[in-house]
Amino acid sequence: MSKVLYRTYRPKTFQEVSGQEHVVRTVLNQYASGSIAHAYLFTGPRGVGKTTTARLIAKLVNCFSPKKNEPCNACDACVSIASGQALDVYEIDAASHTGVDTVRETVIDSVRFAPNVLKKKVYIIDEVHMLSTSAFNALLKTLEEPPEHVLFVLATTEIHKVPETIISRCQRFDFKRISADELVERMKGIVKEEGVRVDETVLREIARHSGGCARDAESLLGQVLALGEKEIGMTEASLVLPATQTVLVEVFVRSLKDHAAAQAMTQFNTYLEEGIDLRQFVSDTISWLRDRLLETVGGKTNEFSIAFLQTAIEELLATQQMRANEQLPQLPVELAIIKICGVDFHKQGVDSSRKGKSEEIIVTVAPPCLPAGRGFSLGEAIDEPPNPPTVFDTVPIISLEDVKNKWPEVYEQIKSCNASLPMLMQSCEVCGVEGEHVELGFEYGLYVETINQEKNRRLIEGVFEQVLGQRLRVKAIQKKSKHSEDEMVGELLQEFGGSVV
Ligand SMILES: [Zn+2]
């Protein structure tokens, strides 16, 4: 449904190409001095403008009335190339099965013949590293003695797979990831064209998620614009943008602070099972802790003690240096959890000489829901737990009434960490609780879909965990609306000629 911005706003001139000035300037200088190469090799990450630039070169060398080193975008040559109809411009995706055969048979054979209409035949071969050895050999012969009327542009994301013999016959350009500033500038141009106001914070967030890839940025922007609003801020955009891990990190850190080792361990392992990247999670947690440390030192908050923040940062940093066991990559973090939870920050502050000694370890028994094979032995520490057992010692069952009583608190918490979800949650009703499963009823299917999206579901589960002290599974369901029930009653009454008493 979302508009394909990447195609609509593909740069039509070299001026519009973002972030690849070094390539553009060299190519245009060559063009101006009549020394365009016969073969270019573009390498770099996906979605940064390699094929776009290749098409621009195809236009430039064939344009009937170029203006100031730019294709006119109006002549027959420019128009036919832009629409993909030009007989003399061949675009081949070597990653497809047909690509390999096309290169070997069609390209190499047709190279000898003069162009049909245009000045030059242009062969754009994308993902060229995928070619077979025989196809590379055939291509190499052509590159060694290229006919005057032919121009090759090869593009690849994996230059190390391209034979040295091919690379040495081409003029090579390395395309860079596009900087966040450049992506934001580009997106500003697009939203202006679309007549929509989008907050710069939203554009920055999109740029951050795109990792320097224009195609990803424009695809995300397309989804944001598809919301159909005329003004889009973070509130609206957060429904579409990928979840940040901030909420998960926060929930995890609070468990550490509460010395709830078992709980932190379960959270951490659940996140992993749900596909979170371990290294990313650890570094996100460290940077979140650092932010709190700066705030605490600066006197802005006293929610966490400096001793806790310092210990947690040190222990997590240490896990990044540890050589992880291949079968159990999560082990260093699990050990860090035990160490962090074992320090009594109120009694001793940070005493690194005693930190981590077994007699200090205050941990609760591993929860029954800890995944099999990921359990850990606490040795003697289990025999005499110095702390009262956590809620995990009992079977995690909670009543519908408990959940309903705590609902206002849950709602307030959700409001504090997400701006858009509360709009949907307002109409929500806690329908049922069974074991660890909580059913939330909504009137509209769209709401159900949104709440059941992993990032939203996780956020709500995280809040439930904070408020109720145990991990619950949340599922949104569609409840029968009052309205339709009334209608049904009305219909029945009509049918049987009765009335409501
Ligand atoms: Zn033209």
Side-chain angles (χ1 to χ4, degrees):
M1 212 177 78
S2 69
K3 196 167 168 181
V4 186
L5 298 176
Y6 194 69
R7 267 182 230 141
T8 316
Y9 292 98
R10 182 171 275 157
K12 292 185 179 63
T13 62
F14 285 96
Q15 197 90 57
E16 290 171 22
V17 175
S18 302
Q20 314 297 350
E21 285 75 17
H22 59 300
V23 182
V24 168
R25 201 178 317 127
T26 313
V27 170
L28 291 185
N29 284 342
Q30 289 176 340
Y31 174 77
S33 63
S35 57
I36 282 276
H38 69 269
Y40 291 99
L41 175 60
F42 292 169
T43 168
R46 49 179 282 279
V48 296
K50 297 190 297 294
T51 38
T52 299
T53 308
R55 282 194 201 109
L56 283 173
I57 293 178
K59 276 193 206 169
L60 185 64
V61 298
N62 282 308
C63 179
F64 293 119
S65 52
K67 288 175 183 124
K68 290 182 187 164
N69 278 353
E70 292 279 12
C72 74
N73 284 309
C75 71
D76 287 349
C78 285
V79 170
S80 67
I81 293 170
S83 64
Q85 306 287 312
L87 279 178
D88 296 312
V89 175
Y90 301 80
E91 273 194 49
I92 299 141
D93 178 9
S96 72
H97 288 296
T98 50
V100 176
D101 297 333
T102 315
V103 168
R104 205 169 39 214
E105 290 154 23
T106 321
V107 177
I108 308 304
D109 290 343
S110 72
V111 144
R112 293 177 285 131
F113 303 107
N116 295 295
V117 187
L118 302 179
K119 289 185 255 180
K120 271 186 192 283
K121 275 191 174 175
V122 181
Y123 295 89
I124 300 169
I125 308 180
D126 206 5
E127 300 298 353
V128 70
H129 62 271
M130 297 292 284
L131 291 183
S132 63
T133 312
S134 62
F136 269 130
N137 286 338
L139 184 61
L140 187 60
K141 280 202 189 104
T142 312
L143 290 177
E144 277 168 345
E145 288 172 40
E148 260 310 300
H149 59 262
V150 166
L151 172 63
F152 278 95
V153 184
L154 314 179
T156 181
T157 49
E158 297 182 56
I159 187 74
H160 58 278
K161 290 186 182 163
V162 179
E164 196 51 49
T165 45
I166 298 278
I167 299 177
S168 66
R169 306 260 162 215
C170 301
Q171 180 153 20
R172 171 177 164 175
F173 284 113
D174 291 20
F175 281 62
K176 297 180 297 185
R177 286 183 194 286
I178 304 165
S179 74
D181 285 343
E182 283 163 326
L183 282 179
V184 169
E185 277 314 305
R186 194 165 156 61
M187 287 189 281
K188 276 185 184 169
I190 293 175
V191 297
K192 200 174 162 197
E193 286 283 312
E194 293 284 314
V196 179
R197 276 176 52 96
V198 180
D199 274 4
E200 179 150 350
T201 46
V202 174
L203 300 181
R204 294 246 154 241
E205 188 65 11
I206 293 175
R208 204 174 64 75
H209 277 293
S210 312
C213 171
R215 197 182 305 161
D216 287 355
E218 281 156 32
S219 149
L220 267 179
L221 180 63
Q223 292 172 44
V224 169
L225 294 184
L227 290 170
E229 305 285 332
K230 281 287 149 205
E231 295 203 7
I232 297 173
M234 274 312 274
T235 311
E236 294 79 17
S238 67
L239 281 173
V240 178
L241 294 179
T244 53
Q245 296 188 14
T246 318
V247 176
L248 304 184
V249 166
E250 212 175 318
V251 169
F252 175 69
V253 170
R254 285 183 204 288
S255 299
L256 294 179
K257 182 194 154 213
D258 296 342
H259 303 281
Q263 191 173 311
M265 200 86 80
T266 311
Q267 285 160 350
F268 172 62
N269 276 301
T270 309
Y271 298 163
L272 286 184
E273 276 175 8
E274 287 172 354
I276 235 172
D277 181 76
L278 190 149
R279 296 175 66 91
Q280 189 61 46
F281 179 72
V282 171
S283 68
D284 283 358
T285 306
I286 292 171
S287 86
W288 192 88
L289 287 164
R290 177 181 171 271
D291 290 345
R292 297 296 85 72
L293 184 67
L294 294 181
E295 285 172 9
T296 310
V297 170
K300 285 183 194 150
T301 172
N302 58 2
E303 193 188 352
F304 299 96
S305 72
I306 290 184
F308 164 73
L309 293 168
Q310 189 186 341
T311 309
I313 291 172
E314 281 172 3
E315 293 298 343
L316 289 172
L317 277 175
T319 67
Q320 294 180 320
Q321 310 302 324
M322 271 185 229
R323 272 246 319 266
N325 176 324
E326 267 179 40
Q327 265 82 48
L328 291 167
Q330 72 273 41
L331 190 59
V333 176
E334 291 175 339
L335 293 174
I337 291 172
I338 294 182
K339 280 193 191 163
I340 297 165
C341 292
V343 178
D344 188 336
F345 303 105
H346 302 295
K347 273 189 198 151
Q348 299 128 333
V350 197
D351 178 354
S352 57
S353 66
R354 300 192 59 197
K355 201 172 61 182
K357 283 188 186 167
S358 64
E359 72 265 22
E360 286 181 39
I361 292 182
I362 306 162
V363 280
T364 48
V365 182
C369 48
L370 198 68
R374 282 191 176 160
F376 57 98
S377 164
L378 299 173
E380 289 163 17
I382 283 178
D383 294 341
E384 284 176 69
N387 265 6
T390 67
V391 67
F392 276 114
D393 281 334
T394 57
V395 184
I397 284 182
I398 198 160
S399 73
L400 176 61
E401 210 186 340
D402 289 338
V403 178
K404 280 191 167 168
N405 285 340
K406 289 282 186 181
W407 181 249
E409 209 177 314
V410 170
Y411 178 73
E412 281 307 311
Q413 284 269 6
I414 291 172
K415 227 162 119 181
S416 70
C417 49
N418 184 292
S420 54
L421 274 183
M423 296 193 286
L424 311 186
M425 302 299 284
Q426 268 174 352
S427 67
C428 156
E429 188 192 329
V430 185
C431 293
V433 176
E434 207 188 324
E436 53 171 17
H437 297 274
V438 176
E439 279 184 343
L440 303 178
F442 293 87
E443 202 167 329
Y444 304 108
L446 184 69
Y447 286 19
V448 172
E449 232 169 76
T450 307
I451 298 295
N452 281 335
Q453 276 170 11
E454 198 180 338
K455 62 165 182 175
N456 294 329
R457 184 177 53 76
R458 264 204 221 159
L459 186 147
I460 297 166
E461 285 174 354
V463 169
F464 263 121
E465 187 162 0
Q466 266 182 329
V467 174
L468 294 158
Q470 65 183 66
R471 193 161 177 88
L472 298 169
R473 301 272 166 190
V474 167
K475 191 181 167 197
I477 56 164
Q478 191 164 5
K479 57 179 185 185
K480 212 178 254 171
S481 73
K482 266 215 169 80
H483 184 61
S484 69
E485 263 172 27
D486 288 348
E487 274 175 2
M488 261 170 54
V489 172
E491 276 167 21
L492 283 173
L493 289 176
Q494 259 190 354
E495 194 120 316
F496 296 103
S499 65
V500 183
V501 283

